[in-house]
Each structure stands twice: as structure tokens, then as C-alpha cells.
């Protein structure tokens, strides 16, 4: 490996590194504003100046490739003078309004001016004044503070794939803005707030809410989709004020979606804080004893096979297991978690996870999308696909039209016939898949809802196995699960292993065979209530509560501990950041109350549930790690092919769950999207 000398210390570096990166290897911190490791190099700010032997002047370390034999110095008087000069220029037009700036306490300019700033400026000219720009309901602008680092411009173009931010003017008069000053049409738009090193771009919903040093910070995971983005939940007292991304290069890198970030204002809206009982066709406030007594009475009045339970999209594994134990005690096995009829083979784990892994997308050399729109179903996964497309020029094909995915792709067909051709080696795509070293096939829930969903999944799997494409090193078979709870619930065997007909719950629900329906955080189950007695246990007065005869208030994902499995089968821990509101309880505590009132002694504490969950997970290695790879055999499940059109189910992206539907911010984003869809503008 080549070597470079930094401050008299010789270190090895990898070819292709910049001087700045080499300095980091030597544990030398270099100040920077424009440089970011996930973005292209701009070399705008010049704050990263260092001294290089034989160079007549300091060099920008972020843009200078490291080379063998270089002698770099970062702590000389020349370097310090150069950086102070750069800082003086940066502050020449800065309003110096730190006391009223939301970036205060988290500002790179503030921190670095402490070391390189001066107490008095030599510039006496009037400072520039830039009017506030409109960037939508999420991003608050104060562009007078802008130092022209262009991080936001590069992120929008390179990562988000929506090049809507650019610059007008030149030099000192340059201004960063969205074209026509409209809202950004990206699900990742608010990441520019984190990227901004000054207070030019701040959070509009969070404006003047709290100072960073006042907040309690809790590391957790996101449940708005199945990606499992790593997040930090910031609370003031017991109220969640904001959600920020945590670095995890295997999952979300250092980005999160706008829904993950801003749906948190819905955590306290439309909350259920006391039990309710329906009297005279109207829900009325009650208490725990009265509500649970009525529930137990109704359970005893019906047969076990007439009782059914449905588990919602954000329920953690411990609570789901507690729910299953409760149903075992009342001798009912009518449990379901799918919101619609879509085929899933739960006999082995590789049948329902993203086997190639999120990080593995960057290693792929061909991607085939089947009946999925990853941009809306898993925004962070879509960003990873774009990264593979931009950096490696990976060819992307789609069966079914997903719309704008922020990268180029080729639609092969919108019929299931094309999939049959691939399986029978009658398509050009067959040869491309077989000749690729690391192909990726992503199957969406929309195609699994089709009549031929079983055929499509099982035969694609057999096609890959027969052609030796599935191995310990690489598995191209991927299911794009949409809900955060799905993979964990499949591991807990909430629904039995695959049979000829695994839609028993839905069929019985449609045929009105259930007399008591228990909804656990379930707000998206589409059914028409008739004479069923409905119990809803959840956090928000959403769709489930509208149908309920009994409402039991429970905690949200930020108010209780719990494990979640993301779409790639990675088990992660969601930490408790705040406390349940009013009389609301954690779900497992409610189950224990019911069991005690029934006169049974089978209650379990949280630690017991956690232990049983971990023992139930197939191929489990340890927390935050991918599941162990296992070999797979040809499927012997019989299935029939049906020629059908593949239509990708359109998601109401900002309204996918009870929390986001309660969020004012998400409502504003949704209105803008609907306006764009209607007349092509969001002004």
C-alpha cells in the first residue's frame, strides 16, 4: 500500500483516497464545510486547507488525491493563518444571529469559528441580504446564512435523484433555491437540513421548539416501513420533538425518509388516553375494569373458533407473542397480520425476506423489479438502488410500471406472461439473469396479491435454484415487505406454514363466521362490520377505533421497548423514549390484565417474552446482524399460472398508518402531492 507522511507520521492509505481522508486515518481532524463523504467533491469552502511540501501555497485537502511520498502538515502557522482567512470571508456576510438560530448548538460554522474566527471583522461593507426561499412544508430557509457549500444541491441531484435545488447568480450574489421556488418532490428532501453546516436550512415543523442541549436523546429504529432505518428520538420531558437519522451503512447510511422524520408530530394527536365502550351507538369514556369485564364476558359468550385477532403494521415482536399467548389461552388460532390477501410461503425464512440485503444492492450487476414501486414502499431501499445505478451503471428492468423511481429503468412488460417466459428460458431477460454474477430480483406485494401470485413466487424460486443462482454467497430472491412488523410476525408463526389455502382468516371474515374480532393496533384491515363485536387495542383514534365496541388505549412505538425485524431479517431493538399518555398501557401489560381477570396464572413479564422471541427466530445470529444463510430446496408446492396484468397498488405514501394520518406535517405534504398530481404544480 502507498504511504504518506502527515505531521511527521508515516501512514498507509488506499489508492484513490484524498489527502483529507488520509489525514483522518492518521486521526488528524480537518475542518470542512462543503466536503461530505457521501457526496461528490466540490472544493467550495477551502476550509480544509493544509500545507504540502513543495507547494507554494496551501492546498484544499478534500480535492487533492493522496499520492505516494507526500509530506503533509496540518498544524503550521501558515495553515492556521489560511484557515482564519477563509473563516473571515465566510463570516463577512453572515448575520451572526446565533441566539435566534435553530442550528445553534449543532452548527459547524459556530464550532469552527471558535477556533479560527476573529473577534473583529475587517469588512465594513453592507452584508448581503437574501430573501427567504420557499422549499415546502418541511424546510425553513434563512438564505442570508448560506455559505454556498452546495451540499444540498449535490444531495438532491446525486442521492435523492430529484435535481430540484440549484444556484442562481455568481460569486457573493449566488443564491441557493428550488427552481420556481416550489416544494421539493422527494421523499428524502429533509435530509438537506442535516447536511446544511449552518442555519440556512432548518426544520420548519421543529422551528423554535427546543434547544439541542435540552433534549433527551434515545437511539431507536423506525417503524414507518420495513427498512428499519436507524433513528434517534429526541424528547423534551415526555414529548417527542424530533427524529433524526443514525449512521448505519448497512441499512439507511445517514439518511431517513421525510415520513420517518416528520410523522412524529402525530404521536400526540388523536390519542386514546382512556378505555372506551360503545353505548347507544356512541363511544363513551369508561375505565379499565369495566372495559375488561365486558371483553371477558363477550369472550365467554362465543365459541373459540368464532374469535379472531388481527395484528397491525407497527406491533413489536414481544407484544405480538403476548397476543398469541392470549389467543392460545382462549383456544383460538384465528390470527392474521396481512391487510390484504397476498401469497406468502412461511415454511422457510428465505421465502419472505430481502435475501440480497440492503447493502448488497451495491454489489449487484442486474436488478429486476416485479410488481413493486420501491420509491414509495421503501424509500431508503430505493435510494440504495439509485446509488447502484449512478455509481455502477447497474441495468434495471421492471415488470409492471412503477412510475418515476429517480433512476432509469426499462419496462419489459406489464403481464404475468413475461414472468412465465423468464422461467421457461424464453426471454432475453432469462439469459441476462443467468449470466449476471450478482443479480437481484425484487418481488413486491402487489404481484403476490394476484391470482397467479403463488405461481410467480414459487416458480421464480425454482428457476433460481435449478440454475444454481442461490448459494451461501449470494441469494438473488427478494421480497419487498411493506410493514415493519411483517417479518417478525412470520418468524413467530402468527400464521401457520404454507398450505394450499392460507387465506382462511379473510374467507371467514368475508363470510361473517367471526363473532368477536380483536384488532391489535390494526387500522388498515379493509372489512365491512356487520354483527361482529369489535375490540380495538391501539394508540390512536383511527379506523380501527371507529369500528370498535371496546377501545383499549395502548402505547406507541416510542413509548415501549420492543424488537423488530426489518425486511432483510435483521433484528433490531426499538428503545423507549417517552411514556404512554393518560391511562394507556404497553400492550403486553394489557394482555396480563385480561389473563388475570380470566382467573388464569399464565401471565408473562417482558423479559420472558423477549427471551421467547429470540428463541423463536429462525437463523438468528445476534441483534443488528443479518440472519445466517441457509440452503434452500426446490419448492414442491403446486401452483397454476394465470395470464394477468400486473398493476402496482398505489400507496397513499404520507397516510400509510395511524401515526402518519394523525400528523399535521404529513397532511400538508399529502396535500402538496395531490395538487401536483392534479394540476402539475405545488405553488
Amino acid at each position: 500500500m502507498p504511504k504518506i507522511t502527515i505531521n511527521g507520521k508515516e501512514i498507509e492509505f488506499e489508492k484513490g483516497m484524498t489527502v483529507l481522508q488520509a489525514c483522518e486515518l492518521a486521526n488528524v481532524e480537518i475542518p470542512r464545510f462543503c466536503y461530505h463523504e457521501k457526496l461528490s467533491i466540490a472544493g467550495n469552502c477551502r476550509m480544509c486547507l493544509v500545507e504540502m511540501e513543495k507547494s507554494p501555497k496551501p492546498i484544499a485537502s478534500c480535492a487533492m488525491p493522496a499520492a505516494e511520498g507526500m509530506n503533509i502538515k496540518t498544524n503550521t502557522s501558515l495553515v492556521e493563518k489560511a484557515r482564519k482567512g477563509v473563516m473571515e470571508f465566510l463570516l463577512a456576510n453572515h448575520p451572526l444571529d446565533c441566539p435566534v438560530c435553530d442550528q445553534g448548538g449543532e452548527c459547524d460554522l459556530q464550532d469552527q469559528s471558535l477556533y479560527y474566527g476573529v473577534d473583529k471583522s475587517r469588512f465594513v461593507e453592507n452584508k448581503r441580504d437574501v430573501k427567504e426561499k420557499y422549499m415546502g412544508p418541511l424546510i425553513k430557509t434563512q438564505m442570508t446564512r448560506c455559505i454556498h457549500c452546495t451540499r444540498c444541491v449535490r444531495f438532491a441531484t446525486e442521492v435523492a435523484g430529484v435535481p430540484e435545488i440549484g444556484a442562481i447568480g455568481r460569486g457573493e450574489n449566488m443564491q441557493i433555491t428550488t427552481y420556481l421556488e416550489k416544494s421539493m418532490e422527494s421523499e428524502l428532501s429533509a435530509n438537506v437540513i442535516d447536511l446544511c453546516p449552518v442555519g440556512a436550512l432548518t426544520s420548519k415543523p421543529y422551528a423554535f421548539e427546543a434547544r439541542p442541549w435540552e433534549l433527551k436523546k434515545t437511539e431507536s429504529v423506525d417503524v414507518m416501513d420495513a427498512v428499519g432505518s436507524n433513528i434517534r428520538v429526541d424528547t423534551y420531558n415526555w414529548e417527542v420533538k424530533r427524529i433524526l437519522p443514525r449512521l448505519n451503512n448497512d441499512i439507511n447510511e445517514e439518511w431517513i425518509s421525510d415520513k420517518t422524520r416528520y410523522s412524529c408530530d402525530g404521536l400526540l394527536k388523536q390519542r386514546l388516553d382512556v378505555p372506551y365502550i360503545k353505548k347507544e351507538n356512541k363511544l363513551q369514556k369508561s375505565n379499565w375494569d369495566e372495559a375488561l369485564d365486558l371483553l371477558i364476558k363477550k369472550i365467554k359468550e362465543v365459541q373459540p373458533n368464532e374469535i379472531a385477532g388481527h395484528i397491525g403494521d407497527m406491533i413489536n415482536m414481544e407484544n405480538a407473542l403476548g397476543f398469541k399467548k392470549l389467543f392460545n389461552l382462549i383456544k383460538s388460532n384465528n390470527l392474521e397480520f396481512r391487510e390484504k390477501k397476498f401469497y406468502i410461503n412461511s415454511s422457510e425464512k428465505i421465502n419472505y425476506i430481502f435475501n440480497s440485503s440492503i447493502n448488497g444492492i451495491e454489489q449487484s450487476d442486474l436488478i429486476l423489479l416485479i410488481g413493486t414501486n420501491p420509491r414509495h414502499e421503501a424509500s431508503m431501499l430505493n435510494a440504495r438502488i439509485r446509488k447502484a445505478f449512478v455509481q455502477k451503471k447497474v441495468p434495471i428492468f421492471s415488470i409492471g410500471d412503477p412510475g418515476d423511481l429517480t433512476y432509469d429503468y426499462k419496462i419489459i412488460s406489464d403481464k404475468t406472461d413475461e414472468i412465465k417466459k423468464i422461467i421457461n428460458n424464453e426471454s432475453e431477460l432469462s439469459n441476462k439473469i443467468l449470466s449476471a454474477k450478482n443479480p437481484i430480483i425484487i418481488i413486491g406485494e402487489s404481484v403476490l396479491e394476484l391470482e397467479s401470485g403463488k405461481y410467480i413466487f414459487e416458480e421464480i424460486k425454482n428457476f433460481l435454484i435449478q440454475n444454481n443462482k442461490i448459494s451461501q454467497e449470494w441469494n438473488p430472491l427478494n421480497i419487498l415487505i411493506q410493514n415493519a412488523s411483517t417479518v417478525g410476525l412470520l418468524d413467530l408463526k402468527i400464521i401457520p406454514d404454507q398450505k394450499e389455502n392460507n387465506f382462511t382468516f379473510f374467507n371467514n371474515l368475508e363470510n361473517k363466521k367471526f363473532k368477536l374480532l380483536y384488532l391489535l393496533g390494526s387500522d388498515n384491515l379493509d372489512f365491512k362490520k356487520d354483527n361482529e363485536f369489535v375490540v380495538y387495542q391501539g394508540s390512536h383514534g383511527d379506523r380501527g377505533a371507529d369500528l370498535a365496541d371496546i377501545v383499549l388505549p395502548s402505547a406507541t412505538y416510542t413509548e415501549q421497548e420492543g424488537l423488530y425485524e426489518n425486511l432483510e431479517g435483521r433484528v433490531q431493538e426499538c428503545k423507549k423514549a417517552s411514556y404512554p399518555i393518560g391511562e394507556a398501557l404497553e400492550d403486553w401489560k394489557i394482555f396480563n390484565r385480561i389473563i388475570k381477570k380470566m382467573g388464569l396464572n399464565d401471565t408473562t413479564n417482558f423479559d420472558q417474552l423477549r427471551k421467547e422471541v429470540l428463541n423463536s427466530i429462525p437463523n438468528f445470529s445476534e441483534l443488528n446482524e443479518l440472519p445466517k444463510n441457509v440452503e434452500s430446496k426446490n419448492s414442491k408446492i403446486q401452483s397454476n399460472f394465470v395470464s394477468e396484468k400486473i398493476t402496482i397498488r398505489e400507496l397513499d405514501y404520507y397516510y400509510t398508518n395511524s401515526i402518519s394520518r394523525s400528523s399535521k406535517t404529513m397532511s400538508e405534504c399529502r396535500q402538496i402531492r395531490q395538487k401536483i398530481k392534479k394540476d402539475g404544480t405545488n405553488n
Side-chain angles (χ1 to χ4, degrees), residues 518-532:
Y518 199 143
L519 303 177
L520 177 60
S522 175
D523 294 283
N524 296 333
L525 182 63
D526 187 18
F527 80 102
K528 188 175 180 181
K529 184 183 177 183
D530 193 3
N531 294 318
E532 302 95 343

Side-chain angles (χ1 to χ4, degrees), residues 223-227 313 339 371-372 377-378 444-446 449 480-486 567 649 651:
V223 300
M224 295 294 117
D225 56 30
V227 174
D313 56 330
E339 296 161 359
T372 181
E377 295 170 15
E445 291 185 10
S446 292
E449 292 175 15
L480 184 50
I481 294 296
Q482 295 181 15
N483 292 341
S485 61
T486 299
L567 52 77
R649 176 159 49 91
L651 279 182

Side-chain angles (χ1 to χ4, degrees), residues 373-540:
N373 179 347
R375 180 173 177 180
H376 293 162
E377 295 170 15
S379 302
M380 296 316 307
L381 185 140
N382 188 68
R384 198 64 75 112
I385 297 175
R386 172 172 169 78
K387 187 177 181 180
F389 171 78
V390 172
Q391 295 187 356
K392 295 182 63 180
K393 309 299 179 186
V394 176
I396 302 170
F397 305 92
S398 179
I399 300 177
D401 185 4
D404 183 13
L405 295 180
T406 71
Y407 42 81
D408 294 337
Y409 62 92
K410 183 179 180 181
I411 299 176
I412 304 300
S413 173
D414 63 351
K415 297 287 186 65
T416 55
D417 301 75
E418 185 64 29
I419 299 172
K420 189 176 183 180
K421 288 180 182 179
I422 293 172
I423 293 164
N424 295 332
N425 288 313
E426 298 171 356
S427 169
E428 290 184 11
L429 204 52
S430 303
N431 297 326
K432 289 180 179 179
I433 294 171
L434 297 180
S435 60
K437 183 182 178 182
N438 295 327
I440 286 180
I441 298 175
I442 304 175
I443 303 172
E445 291 185 10
S446 292
V447 78
L448 297 175
E449 292 175 15
L450 298 176
E451 193 175 344
S452 57
K454 179 188 285 190
Y455 172 88
I456 291 168
F457 173 79
E458 298 296 346
E459 295 306 316
I460 285 178
K461 180 183 175 184
N462 288 339
F463 168 76
L464 293 171
I465 293 173
Q466 290 165 8
N467 289 282
N468 299 315
K469 300 304 291 185
I470 295 180
S471 65
Q472 292 278 3
E473 290 72 37
W474 187 260
N475 188 340
L477 182 66
N478 302 286
I479 303 297
L480 184 50
I481 294 296
Q482 295 181 15
N483 292 341
S485 61
T486 299
V487 174
L489 299 182
L490 283 165
D491 277 353
L492 293 177
K493 305 296 181 185
I494 297 298
I495 58 174
D497 289 348
Q498 175 62 38
K499 297 178 181 178
E500 272 314 299
N501 179 7
N502 70 339
F503 299 134
T504 307
F505 172 91
F506 295 99
N507 295 333
N508 288 340
L509 186 64
E510 290 168 8
N511 296 326
K512 306 300 177 183
K513 292 187 177 181
F514 298 137
K515 292 183 179 179
L516 192 152
L517 184 60
Y518 199 143
L519 303 177
L520 177 60
S522 175
D523 294 283
N524 296 333
L525 182 63
D526 187 18
F527 80 102
K528 188 175 180 181
K529 184 183 177 183
D530 193 3
N531 294 318
E532 302 95 343
F533 188 88
V534 178
V535 181
Y536 175 74
Q537 181 174 317
S539 58
H540 287 72

Side-chain angles (χ1 to χ4, degrees), residues 9-28:
K9 182 181 178 182
E10 192 176 69
I11 62 163
E12 293 181 340
F13 67 94
E14 294 181 12
K15 191 175 179 181
M17 280 186 167
T18 63
V19 171
L20 187 149
Q21 292 171 322
C23 289
E24 289 180 338
L25 291 178
N27 294 321
V28 176

Side-chain angles (χ1 to χ4, degrees), residues 123-181:
F123 294 92
V124 295
E125 295 84 358
N126 292 332
K127 295 181 180 252
R128 75 167 187 268
D129 184 24
V130 184
K131 71 172 186 177
E132 185 176 341
K133 308 295 185 181
Y134 177 76
M135 291 191 182
L138 306 179
I139 305 168
K140 185 177 185 295
T141 66
Q142 187 70 50
M143 303 314 292
T144 306
R145 301 170 184 158
C146 180
I147 61 170
H148 304 159
C149 71
T150 69
R151 281 186 180 183
C152 53
V153 178
R154 285 174 283 150
F155 173 84
T157 305
E158 298 165 11
V159 180
V162 184
E164 295 178 332
I165 301 180
I168 58 174
R170 299 183 65 185
E172 180 183 69
N173 298 316
M174 186 174 89
Q175 297 181 26
I176 304 294
T177 179
T178 54
Y179 301 110
L180 304 178
E181 291 196 31

Side-chain angles (χ1 to χ4, degrees), residues 358-375:
I358 297 170
N359 192 31
I361 292 172
E362 297 182 31
Q363 304 171 31
S364 66
D365 49 5
L366 181 145
I367 298 174
L368 172 61
L369 308 174
I370 303 178
T372 181
N373 179 347
R375 180 173 177 180

Side-chain angles (χ1 to χ4, degrees), residues 242-275:
R242 64 177 183 178
I243 289 176
L244 298 176
R246 281 194 295 129
L247 177 65
N248 189 322
N249 285 321
D250 291 331
I251 304 175
N252 58 299
E253 297 188 288
E254 55 188 274
W255 326 117
I256 53 173
S257 70
D258 292 345
K259 183 166 60 174
T260 297
R261 186 187 298 267
Y262 283 121
S263 59
C264 62
D265 68 335
L267 289 167
L268 291 180
K269 301 288 193 308
Q270 298 180 215
R271 284 298 301 270
L272 301 171
D273 56 354
V274 295

